[in-house]
Coordinates of all heavy atoms in Angstrom, one line a residue:
R263 N -31.2 0.9 9.8 CA -30.7 2.3 9.5 C -29.5 2.6 10.5 O -28.4 3.2 10.1 CB -31.7 3.3 9.5 CG -31.3 4.5 9.0 CD -32.5 5.6 9.1 NE -33.7 5.1 8.3 CZ -33.7 5.3 7.0 NH1 -32.7 6.0 6.4 NH2 -34.9 4.9 6.2
R264 N -29.7 2.6 11.7 CA -28.9 2.9 12.8 C -27.6 2.0 12.9 O -26.5 2.4 12.9 CB -29.5 3.0 14.2 CG -28.6 3.3 15.3 CD -29.2 3.4 16.7 NE -29.8 2.2 17.1 CZ -29.1 1.2 17.8 NH1 -27.8 1.5 18.0 NH2 -29.6 0.0 18.2
R265 N -27.8 0.6 12.8 CA -26.8 -0.4 13.0 C -25.9 -0.3 11.8 O -24.6 -0.6 11.9 CB -27.3 -1.7 13.4 CG -28.2 -1.9 14.7 CD -27.6 -1.2 15.9 NE -26.3 -1.6 16.3 CZ -26.1 -2.7 17.1 NH1 -27.0 -3.3 17.7 NH2 -24.9 -3.0 17.5
L266 N -26.5 -0.1 10.6 CA -25.6 -0.2 9.5 C -24.6 1.0 9.4 O -23.6 1.0 8.9 CB -26.4 -0.5 8.2 CG -27.2 -1.8 8.0 CD1 -27.8 -1.9 6.7 CD2 -26.2 -2.9 8.1
A267 N -25.3 2.2 9.8 CA -24.3 3.4 9.9 C -23.2 3.1 11.0 O -22.1 3.5 10.6 CB -25.2 4.5 10.4
E268 N -23.6 2.4 12.0 CA -22.5 2.1 12.9 C -21.4 1.1 12.3 O -20.2 1.2 12.5 CB -23.1 1.4 14.2 CG -22.1 1.2 15.3 CD -22.9 0.5 16.5 OE1 -24.1 0.3 16.3 OE2 -22.1 0.0 17.5
L269 N -21.9 0.1 11.5 CA -21.0 -0.9 10.9 C -20.1 -0.1 9.8 O -18.9 -0.4 9.8 CB -22.0 -1.9 10.1 CG -21.2 -3.0 9.4 CD1 -20.4 -3.8 10.3 CD2 -22.2 -3.8 8.6
R270 N -20.8 0.8 9.1 CA -19.9 1.6 8.2 C -18.9 2.3 8.8 O -17.7 2.4 8.3 CB -20.8 2.3 7.3 CG -20.1 3.0 6.1 CD -21.0 3.6 5.2 NE -20.4 4.1 3.9 CZ -21.0 4.4 2.8 NH1 -22.3 4.5 2.8 NH2 -20.3 4.8 1.7
E271 N -19.2 3.0 9.8 CA -18.1 3.8 10.6 C -17.1 3.0 11.1 O -15.9 3.4 10.9 CB -19.0 4.6 11.8 CG -17.9 5.5 12.5 CD -18.6 6.1 13.8 OE1 -19.9 5.8 13.9 OE2 -17.9 6.9 14.4
A272 N -17.3 1.9 11.6 CA -16.3 0.9 12.0 C -15.4 0.4 10.8 O -14.2 0.4 10.9 CB -17.0 -0.3 12.7
A273 N -16.0 0.2 9.8 CA -15.3 -0.2 8.6 C -14.4 1.0 8.1 O -13.2 0.7 7.7 CB -16.2 -0.6 7.5
D274 N -14.9 2.1 8.2 CA -14.0 3.2 7.7 C -12.9 3.5 8.6 O -11.8 3.8 8.2 CB -14.9 4.6 7.7 CG -15.8 4.6 6.5 OD1 -15.7 3.8 5.6 OD2 -16.8 5.4 6.7
K275 N -13.0 3.3 10.0 CA -11.9 3.4 10.9 C -10.9 2.3 10.8 O -9.8 2.6 10.8 CB -12.5 3.4 12.3 CG -13.4 4.5 12.9 CD -13.8 4.5 14.3 CE -14.5 5.8 14.7 NZ -15.1 5.7 16.1
R276 N -11.4 1.1 10.4 CA -10.4 0.0 10.1 C -9.6 0.5 8.8 O -8.3 0.3 8.9 CB -11.2 -1.2 9.7 CG -11.6 -2.1 10.9 CD -11.9 -3.5 10.6 NE -12.5 -3.7 9.4 CZ -13.8 -3.7 9.2 NH1 -14.6 -3.5 10.3 NH2 -14.4 -3.8 8.1
A277 N -10.2 0.8 7.9 CA -9.5 1.2 6.6 C -8.5 2.3 6.8 O -7.4 2.3 6.3 CB -10.5 1.7 5.5
E278 N -9.0 3.4 7.7 CA -8.0 4.4 8.0 C -6.7 4.0 8.7 O -5.7 4.5 8.6 CB -8.8 5.6 8.8 CG -8.0 6.7 9.0 CD -8.8 7.8 9.8 OE1 -10.0 7.6 10.0 OE2 -8.2 8.9 10.2
S279 N -7.0 3.0 9.6 CA -5.9 2.6 10.5 C -5.1 1.6 9.8 O -3.8 1.7 9.9 CB -6.5 1.9 11.7 OG -5.5 1.3 12.4
S280 N -5.6 0.7 9.0 CA -4.9 -0.4 8.4 C -4.6 -0.2 6.9 O -3.9 -1.1 6.4 CB -5.7 -1.7 8.6 OG -5.8 -2.0 10.0
G281 N -5.1 0.8 6.2 CA -4.9 1.0 4.9 C -5.6 0.0 3.9 O -6.4 -0.7 4.3
E282 N -5.2 0.1 2.6 CA -6.0 -0.6 1.6 C -5.2 -1.9 1.2 O -3.9 -1.8 0.7 CB -6.3 0.1 0.3 CG -7.1 -0.5 -0.6 CD -7.9 0.5 -1.5 OE1 -7.6 1.7 -1.3 OE2 -8.8 0.1 -2.3
L283 N -5.8 -3.1 1.4 CA -5.1 -4.4 1.2 C -4.4 -4.5 0.0 O -3.2 -5.0 -0.1 CB -6.3 -5.6 1.4 CG -5.7 -7.0 1.2 CD1 -5.1 -7.4 2.5 CD2 -6.7 -8.0 0.9
A284 N -5.0 -4.1 -1.3 CA -4.4 -4.4 -2.5 C -3.1 -3.4 -2.7 O -2.3 -4.0 -3.7 CB -5.4 -3.9 -3.6
F285 N -2.9 -2.5 -2.0 CA -1.8 -1.7 -2.2 C -0.7 -1.5 -1.2 O 0.2 -0.6 -1.1 CB -2.1 -0.3 -2.5 CG -3.4 -0.2 -3.5 CD1 -4.6 0.6 -3.3 CD2 -3.2 -0.8 -4.9 CE1 -5.5 0.5 -4.3 CE2 -4.2 -0.8 -5.7 CZ -5.5 -0.1 -5.5
L286 N -0.8 -2.5 -0.1 CA 0.1 -2.4 0.9 C 1.3 -3.4 0.7 O 1.1 -4.5 0.2 CB -0.6 -2.7 2.3 CG -1.6 -1.6 2.7 CD1 -2.5 -2.2 3.8 CD2 -0.9 -0.5 3.2
L287 N 2.4 -3.0 1.1 CA 3.6 -4.0 1.1 C 3.4 -5.1 2.1 O 3.8 -6.2 1.8 CB 5.0 -3.3 1.4 CG 5.6 -2.3 0.3 CD1 6.7 -1.7 0.8 CD2 5.8 -3.3 -0.9
E288 N 2.7 -4.8 3.3 CA 2.7 -5.8 4.4 C 1.2 -5.7 4.8 O 0.9 -4.9 5.9 CB 3.6 -5.6 5.4 CG 5.2 -5.7 5.0 CD 6.1 -5.5 6.1 OE1 5.7 -4.8 7.2 OE2 7.1 -6.3 6.2
P289 N 0.2 -6.2 4.2 CA -1.1 -5.8 4.4 C -1.6 -6.8 5.7 O -1.1 -7.9 5.9 CB -1.8 -6.4 3.2 CG -1.0 -7.3 2.6 CD 0.4 -7.0 2.9
D290 N -2.7 -6.3 6.3 CA -3.4 -7.1 7.3 C -4.5 -7.7 6.8 O -5.5 -7.1 6.1 CB -3.9 -6.0 8.4 CG -4.5 -6.7 9.5 OD1 -5.3 -7.7 9.5 OD2 -4.1 -6.5 10.8
L291 N -4.5 -9.0 6.6 CA -5.4 -9.7 5.9 C -6.9 -9.6 6.5 O -7.8 -9.8 5.7 CB -5.1 -11.3 5.8 CG -3.6 -11.4 5.2 CD1 -3.4 -13.1 5.2 CD2 -3.7 -11.2 3.6
M292 N -7.0 -9.4 7.7 CA -8.2 -9.2 8.4 C -8.8 -7.7 8.2 O -9.9 -7.5 7.8 CB -8.2 -9.6 9.8 CG -8.1 -11.1 10.2 SD -9.5 -12.0 9.6 CE -10.7 -11.4 10.7
D293 N -8.1 -6.7 8.7 CA -8.6 -5.5 9.0 C -8.3 -4.4 7.8 O -9.0 -3.3 7.8 CB -7.9 -4.9 10.2 CG -8.6 -5.6 11.5 OD1 -9.7 -6.1 11.4 OD2 -8.0 -5.6 12.5
S294 N -7.5 -4.7 6.8 CA -7.2 -3.7 5.7 C -8.4 -3.6 5.0 O -9.2 -4.6 4.8 CB -6.0 -4.1 4.9 OG -4.8 -4.1 5.6
R295 N -8.7 -2.5 4.2 CA -9.8 -2.3 3.4 C -9.7 -3.3 2.2 O -8.5 -3.4 1.6 CB -9.9 -0.9 2.8 CG -10.8 -0.7 1.7 CD -10.9 0.7 1.3 NE -11.6 1.0 0.1 CZ -13.0 1.0 -0.1 NH1 -13.6 0.7 1.1 NH2 -13.6 1.0 -1.1
G296 N -10.7 -4.2 2.0 CA -10.7 -5.3 1.1 C -10.3 -6.6 1.7 O -10.1 -7.5 1.0
G297 N -10.1 -6.5 3.0 CA -9.9 -7.8 3.7 C -10.9 -8.5 4.2 O -12.1 -8.4 3.8
L298 N -10.8 -9.5 4.9 CA -11.8 -10.6 5.5 C -12.9 -9.8 6.2 O -14.0 -10.3 5.9 CB -11.1 -11.6 6.3 CG -10.0 -12.4 5.6 CD1 -9.2 -13.3 6.5 CD2 -10.7 -13.4 4.6
R299 N -12.5 -8.9 7.1 CA -13.8 -8.3 7.8 C -14.6 -7.6 6.9 O -15.8 -7.4 7.2 CB -13.2 -7.3 9.0 CG -12.4 -8.0 10.0 CD -12.4 -7.3 11.2 NE -11.3 -7.8 12.2 CZ -11.5 -9.0 12.9 NH1 -12.7 -9.6 12.9 NH2 -10.5 -9.3 13.6
D300 N -14.2 -7.1 5.6 CA -15.2 -6.3 4.8 C -16.1 -7.4 4.3 O -17.3 -6.9 4.1 CB -14.4 -5.5 3.8 CG -13.8 -4.3 4.2 OD1 -14.1 -3.7 5.3 OD2 -13.2 -3.7 3.5
V301 N -15.6 -8.5 4.1 CA -16.7 -9.5 3.6 C -17.6 -10.0 4.6 O -18.8 -10.0 4.4 CB -15.9 -10.8 3.0 CG1 -16.9 -11.9 2.6 CG2 -14.9 -10.3 1.9
Q302 N -17.2 -10.0 5.8 CA -18.1 -10.4 6.9 C -19.1 -9.2 7.1 O -20.3 -9.4 7.5 CB -17.2 -10.6 8.2 CG -16.4 -11.9 8.1 CD -15.3 -11.9 9.0 OE1 -15.2 -11.0 10.0 NE2 -14.4 -12.7 8.8
A303 N -18.7 -7.9 7.0 CA -19.5 -6.8 7.0 C -20.6 -6.8 6.0 O -21.8 -6.6 6.2 CB -18.7 -5.5 6.9

Side-chain angles (χ1 to χ4, degrees):
R263 187 182 299 275
R264 178 179 65 85
R265 300 311 301 269
L266 293 183
E268 185 182 355
L269 179 63
R270 186 170 193 171
E271 182 182 1
D274 290 343
K275 287 181 179 178
R276 279 203 315 274
E278 183 178 354
S279 172
S280 300
E282 190 153 2
L283 181 76
F285 308 130
L286 292 168
L287 284 176
E288 297 184 329
D290 186 310
L291 299 172
M292 288 293 292
D293 286 339
S294 294
R295 175 173 164 78
L298 295 168
R299 292 205 195 280
D300 280 354
V301 179
Q302 294 158 13

